[in-house]
Amino acid sequence: MSLQRTDGILCLDGVRLDQVADRFGTPAYVYSWNDIETRYHDLAGALTQIRHRICYSVKANSNLSILDHLDKLGASFDIVSGGELERLIVAGIDPSRAIFSGVGKSVEEIDFALKAGIGCINMESTAELERIESRSTLLSKVAPVSVRLNPDVDANTHPYISTGLKQNKFGVAEPEAVEMCRYAHKSTSMNILGLGCHIGSQINQTEPFVEALDHLIRLKQTLSEQGIKIEHLDLGGGLGIRYAQEEELDIASYAEAVSNKLRGLNIELLIEPGRYLVAESGLLLTRVEYLKPSRAPDQPNYAIVDAAMNDLIRPALYQAYHGVSLVGPSNADTVRWDIVGPVCESGDFLALERDLALSEDSLLAILSTGAYGFVQSSNYNTRARSAEVMIQNNDMRLIRVRESVSDLLHHERIV
Ligand code: LLP
């Protein structure tokens, strides 16, 4: 991401992060408009060999300003709830540019999507197909649908974010997928458009994607032999980035491998990246409240900051690593710290064993938190959720007001 130091102060796209903290307080998520744009162009540029659509996975960061930004860059969208569909509509995005996935779509969500003119509903079970058919018949609509295949491919990622193994709840195995496509093809209230899969998240090698694509291509051919034409193959998201020492997915070789497989097949490729587009564009600004140096040999030095697991749950939930940078210069000695939050759980940590020159009041940036950061935040311990700020054209813009505790209590004052 575009971080650099000016006069010892960490700046994002030329804007001093200490000034962002002074103006909007901490904790605060801060994003780079330019970084999102660069990532989008890098990905689109790598895929020019094939007809494709980049469907940004809204769940990674659903702030309306980010959706609007990606919309203007030409993205389509991947959504997984009626709430995310509502966000697109509020952002002025045409629902026909969205693919709706998810294993548990309710009747209300299906009706909402059909009435809004959704681009495609990605079906994840036969029971869902039956529900979609009955709702579209009732509403006198023709539902644009695809089937999500579970290709049983190992993405070599954290078990919580692996989704393409047969024991995972997502998608259906090939024989069921064939049956569902045949059924949808015959139905007068469904139009079968595509086949999809999503094998997991934070995947840093090309091979699992190629393996999954092979399964989709084989299924497409089986269907074509039965007279069922498929217009798109959706390879899902999962493109991995670099949080620590790992290599990020090589986009050029990913794009080349995928393009080689699809050449001559006259089919559109859809992909659903979330993390790749926004993770590195964002950081979480937090201030040290207290230093609690070790008093025993087996006790860590604790730096207690004003952000916590309710603001960023990735370290607690997936043992995820995020880089930490001091925003300002420091005269303190460099010491090994565990960066922890105020929440009453020992799992409430943001980073462990980091060598930093901290003092009380130091401002810190927790890096690469633009994806699955704010969106996974909660009000645990009755903590109001943080502000979100966009850095754009050398300026800072508030894109989400910090919650107040009265915002939270409002929903419980039932008379
Ligand atoms: N498409 C589908 C159907 C998905 O389920 C997901 C992510 C994506 C696309 C986007 O995946 P991405 O390109 O962002 O890897 N909270 C976890 C990640 C959960 C991902 C869930 N599905 C984390 O913080 O790492």
Side-chain angles (χ1 to χ4, degrees):
M1 84 185 299
S2 335
L3 285 169
Q4 69 288 331
R5 282 193 190 271
T6 306
D7 300 329
I9 308 286
L10 198 63
C11 300
L12 180 57
D13 291 343
V15 173
R16 288 173 55 143
L17 289 169
D18 58 342
Q19 291 182 351
V20 176
D22 287 347
R23 178 140 157 219
F24 298 113
T26 54
Y29 278 95
V30 189
Y31 309 113
S32 158
W33 185 262
N34 289 348
D35 277 358
I36 296 173
E37 187 162 337
T38 303
R39 293 293 269 193
Y40 184 83
H41 286 316
D42 285 353
L43 193 52
L47 290 166
T48 47
Q49 299 292 313
I50 28 169
R51 196 153 53 88
H52 70 273
R53 250 185 289 162
I54 298 175
C55 303
Y56 170 63
S57 191
V58 171
K59 67 174 80 64
N61 188 324
S62 54
N63 186 286
L64 294 176
S65 295
I66 289 182
L67 299 182
D68 179 50
H69 187 22
L70 284 159
D71 176 42
K72 302 237 161 72
L73 290 170
S76 294
F77 295 87
D78 149 52
I79 58 169
V80 288
S81 71
E84 289 187 346
L85 177 54
E86 209 159 320
R87 280 185 179 274
L88 294 189
I89 293 169
V90 170
I93 295 165
D94 184 345
S96 70
R97 290 180 36 220
I99 298 264
F100 188 0
S101 292
V103 291
K105 300 175 197 84
S106 67
V107 167
E108 291 73 22
E109 287 178 317
I110 290 168
D111 286 3
F112 180 28
L114 290 173
K115 287 181 194 163
I118 191 80
C120 189
I121 304 182
N122 200 15
M123 305 185 290
E124 304 224 16
S125 65
T126 300
E128 183 190 337
L129 173 143
E130 287 163 2
R131 182 178 279 183
I132 291 172
E133 190 189 35
S134 84
R135 297 314 299 176
S136 55
T137 306
L138 202 79
L139 296 171
S140 308
K141 301 266 181 200
V142 176
V145 292
S146 54
V147 172
R148 178 167 173 179
L149 178 70
N150 182 325
D152 195 24
V153 166
D154 189 355
N156 290 321
T157 189
H158 191 285
Y160 287 8
I161 53 177
S162 168
T163 48
L165 289 169
K166 63 174 180 292
Q167 62 266 34
N168 299 137
K169 66 180 173 182
F170 302 97
V172 293
E174 198 167 319
E176 190 171 349
V178 172
E179 279 316 305
M180 287 169 69
C181 289
R182 283 158 62 109
Y183 189 96
H185 179 64
K186 281 197 218 118
S187 167
T188 51
S189 48
M190 280 191 270
N191 182 16
I192 178 86
L193 297 179
L195 301 171
C197 71
H198 169 77
I199 55 174
S201 204
Q202 184 54 12
I203 303 168
N204 295 63
Q205 301 126 14
T206 298
E207 292 73 24
F209 291 111
V210 172
E211 209 185 311
L213 185 56
D214 278 336
H215 285 275
L216 289 180
I217 292 172
R218 224 184 26 238
L219 180 53
K220 170 202 168 323
Q221 274 155 359
T222 307
L223 292 168
S224 130
E225 283 154 21
Q226 302 184 22
I228 303 171
K229 189 173 177 318
I230 295 298
E231 292 173 18
H232 75 242
L233 296 183
D234 179 349
L235 195 48
L239 288 66
I241 66 144
R242 184 163 194 231
Y243 285 106
Q245 297 312 316
E246 74 273 46
E247 291 286 314
E248 92 166 9
L249 178 73
D250 181 348
I251 287 304
S253 50
Y254 165 87
E256 194 189 331
V258 168
S259 306
N260 287 342
K261 289 274 170 199
L262 294 178
R263 194 158 295 126
L265 290 185
N266 187 25
I267 197 148
E268 184 178 32
L269 171 76
L270 269 56
I271 58 169
E272 304 174 352
R275 187 187 320 264
Y276 181 84
L277 293 175
V278 294
E280 290 184 55
S281 76
L283 56 85
L284 174 61
L285 265 187
T286 180
R287 200 177 283 285
V288 175
E289 292 280 1
Y290 299 103
L291 293 179
K292 198 172 170 187
S294 167
R295 296 280 184 248
D298 56 350
Q299 195 182 48
N301 296 302
Y302 288 115
I304 300 158
V305 297
D306 61 6
M309 66 190 287
N310 75 295
D311 299 297
L312 177 66
I313 202 173
R314 301 195 72 255
L317 193 57
Y318 318 110
Q319 297 76 47
Y321 176 98
H322 289 272
V324 179
S325 283
L326 258 170
V327 170
S330 166
N331 297 322
D333 291 335
T334 297
V335 172
R336 185 154 294 185
W337 296 100
D338 281 3
I339 316 289
V340 303
V343 160
C344 304
E345 297 212 20
S346 296
D348 177 25
F349 59 86
L350 300 178
L352 299 178
E353 299 184 1
R354 303 302 169 86
D355 295 333
L356 291 162
L358 298 184
S359 40
E360 285 184 4
D361 229 31
S362 290
L363 195 57
L364 297 176
I366 316 286
L367 305 178
S368 301
T369 46
Y372 307 109
F374 182 87
V375 287
Q376 295 199 114
S377 64
S378 76
N379 297 119
Y380 188 38
N381 281 207
T382 307
R383 288 170 51 87
R385 284 179 298 171
S386 68
E388 291 179 286
V389 179
M390 182 65 80
I391 304 297
Q392 185 184 0
N393 297 334
N394 287 317
D395 208 356
M396 48 182 116
R397 183 161 61 88
L398 188 63
I399 59 169
R400 192 178 206 274
V401 176
R402 182 180 304 286
E403 262 176 2
S404 69
V405 172
S406 60
D407 290 336
L408 310 184
L409 298 184
H410 168 75
H411 298 289
E412 295 168 41
R413 290 217 178 91
I414 301 160
V415 280

